[in-house]
Every structure is written in C-alpha cells, then in structure tokens.
Amino acid sequence: SVMSSKSVGSAGAAVPGVPGRSAVPAFWPLAMASDMLQQGLELYARNAKFVEEEIRIHDDLRPKLATPNRLRLDLRTMALRDYGRESQGIPTLVNAPYAGHTAMIADYHQGQSLVETLLANGIDHVALTDWKSATADMKDLEIDDYLAQLVVAIDDLGGRVNLVGLCQGGWTSAMIAARFPDKVNSLVLAGAPIDTDAGDGPIKRMAHASPMAFYEDLVKLGGGLMRGRFMLQGWKNMHPEQHYIRSHIDLYEHIDDPAYLAKEEVFESWYENPLDLPGRWYLQAIRLLFRENRLAKGDFTALGRRLDLKTITCPTYLLAGAGDDITTPEQVLDAAKYIGTPAAGIVQQTVPGGHIGLFMGARTLKEYWPGIARWIAIQG
C-alpha cells in the first residue's frame, strides 16, 4: 500500500517534511535481503546497474550538514565534527548510525536538526561522528577498528563524554560504555538495538531466516564491501510504487511550496548517496549481534575483553519509537535489564512514530529531544 505523508505503514513512519519516504530504507542493509533472495544474486547485480547510474545522476547532490561546524579530526573511518563552543563542561558526542547513510540524519535541516536542538537546550559543545564510506582498502576493517577510532575521538574531546548513540551507533556506544566506563558520563540510546532477540520485528526475522552464506555472497559480489548501491536497490524495491511513483506525485502536489521543495532536495542528497560498508565489519554485525545476540548475552569481545553490560553504571536514557519496526521498542528498552545502572538512574521513554522520526522527525525534535538535552546537561 502507498502511505500518505502522515501515515504509518508496515515500514514505519514517513519522514516529516518529506512525504513518501519510509523508515525501513534508511538504516540497515538487512532490508534488501528478501528481495535479493527472490531475484538471485546475479539478476540483482544486473538490476543494481540502474541504481548505480541513478547515483551518478545525483552525484552533485552531496549530503550537507545543516548546522555550521568545524572539522576536529580527520580519521580513517570518520570525520569528527565540532559544534557550538568548547566549555569547562563535559562535551556531548553524538554517535551517528553507520548503516548505509551519512551522519546528516543527526543534522538534517535548519529548524529540524538533532544537533541544533541539543545546542538550543543547554548543551554548549556537541561533537558528531561523520562516518566515511568504506574504500577497497578498508574491506577487512572490523568492529574493533571502529571502536578504537571512537575511543580516539572521545580522548580528543577530553577523555569523558555524554554519549548519544543513534540506531546502529547505539550498540557501538553501549560497547564503549561497557569497555571503558570511565569515558562515558551519561548514555543515551535512541532506537538502538541492544537486545536483538527481543520483540518480533522484520529485521530480527530476516537475520535468522537467511543463512550466513547469503550475506557472505553479498560481500563477495561487492568485492569485499557491502555496497551502498546494492542496499539502495533493495530498499527501493521493497516498496517500488513508493519510491518511483509516490515521491513524484507528492513533489508535484507541493510544487508551489518552497520550504517543502528545499527539504525534498536535502533529503534526496542524503538518500541517494549511500555509503559502502567494510565486508568484514558487516558480516561480524550480522552474525555476532543480529543472529547470535552476543552483546546482550555478555559474550561479545571488544578490544581484547569480553563485554559485560553490567559495567555500565552511568545515568542512561532509553528512547524508543512506539511504531518502530526496525528497532522494536523491546530491543531498546530491554537494555535496562542488562546494564548495571540502578533503576533510579535509567529513564525509559516511548514516543509516537517510527524509526526515522526518532532522529529527524519535527514532532520528536520539538516535543521530546529538548527534555533529553536538558537531562544530559544536568549530568555534568
């Protein structure tokens, strides 16, 4: 079925201000699995050529962050970006998802930006992990490599941060908080899959339904990388009428609305330019986290030590979307069962809407994130 700009379908909430965009495509490569299994890898690769050409057409549309910032560090895996002003307080580090699209999800549009909201509600200094697309020489990078560079970023910020993990950035944030508890003053996990066995969402079902050989073949097809163009093809083919027809109808209906057209252009620049992921990193995430749920079970080894979520004792804020079928509310809120923070130090909140609305939604940014920002600010 075709969703209106305000409706919620099986894929989750539409992007406020950008009708015709569902939540499924934006955040996880598993979204293309069902379509690829049906088509077969060779046919899928041929079909992906069309998407590759489409990406070239949009090549001039590069995702641009909305809020003025400074490049603090230029690392192999990320650019660390600084916002606001440095002060004596503990900085807030927003750890963006690394799941196929850029960090613009945290700094989408002037007046509709998570970073902007944090800065306007008591936080002086915000930093953002702007993850880079993997190149051929990065195909064998592991989760450990990304964790290590996240530690470098935290140390460069003074060695202790308020850490805000968005979606896939949430499980890496939880890993850092468990591995180096002294480096994390407070922890926000928003739409973050911590207990991947919880709930009954499509991502959970997909991860267990397909054999590992299937995901390994995807990486081989990408020359050792999980190619962004493959992901984009699968995302669009999940709802072809949504992406190839409805978006143009919506654009036509709003053709005289300059604000709408500006947001549409910004969203296209983000959506049509996906990132490639290292194949080894991608396969580790599929097997260790989404199939075997090792982080929640206390059986994940990071940077040489087995992680125990009980070592996380800092104040923690868990934010879930009531209609989120990418990271179901249970996958986020069940973190309270595993971490060592006393119950009085844990805030659990479920808000209306789906996955993408947690980070980019106008309503969530206006009604909920200001309170989260003030909560972070009082932690020090």
Side-chain angles (χ1 to χ4, degrees), residues 17-39:
V18 188
R21 298 299 186 185
S22 64
V24 168
F27 297 100
W28 192 234
L30 280 167
M32 92 296 265
S34 176
D35 186 70
M36 293 185 71
L37 282 173
Q38 292 174 12
Q39 291 190 34

Side-chain angles (χ1 to χ4, degrees), residues 22-28 31 97 99-101 105 235 267 270-271 355-356 360:
S22 64
V24 168
F27 297 100
W28 192 234
H101 279 89
I105 187 164
W235 295 329
F267 192 87
W270 177 68
Y271 185 81
H355 192 75
I356 196 171
M360 299 172 85

Side-chain angles (χ1 to χ4, degrees), residues 235-274:
W235 295 329
K236 289 184 173 182
N237 281 356
M238 289 186 70
H239 302 282
E241 79 289 351
Q242 191 78 11
H243 299 291
Y244 296 123
I245 300 174
R246 183 66 190 179
S247 63
H248 297 292
I249 294 173
D250 286 330
L251 185 59
Y252 179 78
E253 290 172 347
H254 295 81
I255 200 70
D256 294 324
D257 183 350
Y260 173 88
L261 294 176
K263 281 190 180 181
E264 174 73 8
E265 182 176 348
V266 170
F267 192 87
E268 288 287 341
S269 74
W270 177 68
Y271 185 81
E272 299 290 346
N273 287 275

Side-chain angles (χ1 to χ4, degrees), residues 76-380:
R76 189 181 189 192
T77 62
M78 74 159 112
L80 181 65
R81 303 198 177 274
D82 252 343
Y83 296 83
R85 60 181 177 84
E86 295 197 32
S87 63
Q88 293 183 343
I90 296 173
T92 294
L93 176 59
V94 177
N95 189 16
Y98 185 53
H101 279 89
T102 74
M104 198 185 84
I105 187 164
D107 194 15
Y108 168 43
H109 199 273
Q110 187 175 6
Q112 194 171 332
S113 160
L114 174 56
V115 168
E116 183 183 60
T117 301
L118 296 175
L119 291 172
N121 288 277
I123 299 178
D124 294 329
H125 183 194
V126 175
L128 175 66
T129 58
D130 188 0
W131 299 105
K132 298 179 180 180
S133 188
T135 51
D137 64 318
M138 297 168 68
K139 64 183 178 64
D140 290 323
L141 292 187
E142 301 182 334
I143 291 175
D144 266 6
D145 295 297
Y146 284 78
L147 292 176
Q149 299 221 330
L150 193 52
V151 171
V152 169
I154 292 172
D155 284 348
D156 196 77
L157 288 164
R160 188 170 173 84
V161 298
N162 296 305
L163 190 54
V164 179
L166 309 181
C167 184
Q168 304 302 326
W171 54 259
T172 53
S173 296
M175 288 177 180
I176 292 295
R179 181 67 178 80
F180 303 102
D182 290 343
K183 293 184 180 298
V184 181
N185 183 64
S186 69
L187 179 65
V188 177
L189 300 176
I194 303 301
D195 183 357
T196 60
D197 283 342
D200 190 31
I203 300 301
K204 171 188 170 181
R205 295 194 299 270
M206 215 173 288
H208 291 280
S210 307
M212 275 306 299
F214 165 69
Y215 300 105
E216 292 165 357
D217 284 344
L218 287 183
V219 170
K220 290 178 184 176
L221 190 65
L225 299 174
M226 183 61 239
R227 296 287 181 179
R229 65 179 185 267
F230 293 169
M231 292 184 274
L232 189 60
Q233 164 78 359
W235 295 329
K236 289 184 173 182
N237 281 356
M238 289 186 70
H239 302 282
E241 79 289 351
Q242 191 78 11
H243 299 291
Y244 296 123
I245 300 174
R246 183 66 190 179
S247 63
H248 297 292
I249 294 173
D250 286 330
L251 185 59
Y252 179 78
E253 290 172 347
H254 295 81
I255 200 70
D256 294 324
D257 183 350
Y260 173 88
L261 294 176
K263 281 190 180 181
E264 174 73 8
E265 182 176 348
V266 170
F267 192 87
E268 288 287 341
S269 74
W270 177 68
Y271 185 81
E272 299 290 346
N273 287 275
L275 304 178
D276 294 335
L277 310 178
R280 187 180 295 274
W281 179 96
Y282 169 76
L283 293 175
Q284 283 181 328
I286 295 291
R287 181 171 64 86
L288 301 179
L289 295 172
F290 287 88
R291 291 171 66 89
E292 299 178 5
N293 198 24
R294 290 198 182 189
L295 179 59
K297 293 178 179 178
D299 194 28
F300 189 93
T301 298
L303 297 173
R305 288 190 183 173
R306 182 174 294 185
L307 300 183
D308 181 358
L309 292 178
K310 289 295 182 185
T311 62
I312 299 176
T313 58
C314 64
T316 301
Y317 201 113
L318 305 175
L319 181 69
D324 189 345
D325 63 353
I326 304 306
T327 303
T328 59
E330 300 93 337
Q331 292 188 351
V332 185
L333 302 179
D334 276 11
K337 302 176 182 178
Y338 299 103
I339 66 175
T341 304
I346 302 175
V347 179
Q348 299 184 61
Q349 185 168 40
T350 303
V351 302
H355 192 75
I356 196 171
L358 286 173
F359 324 115
M360 299 172 85
R363 177 180 177 183
T364 309
L365 289 171
K366 179 181 179 180
E367 297 183 9
Y368 298 102
W369 277 102
I372 297 172
R374 291 190 289 271
W375 178 87
I376 294 171
I378 65 174
Q379 306 308 320

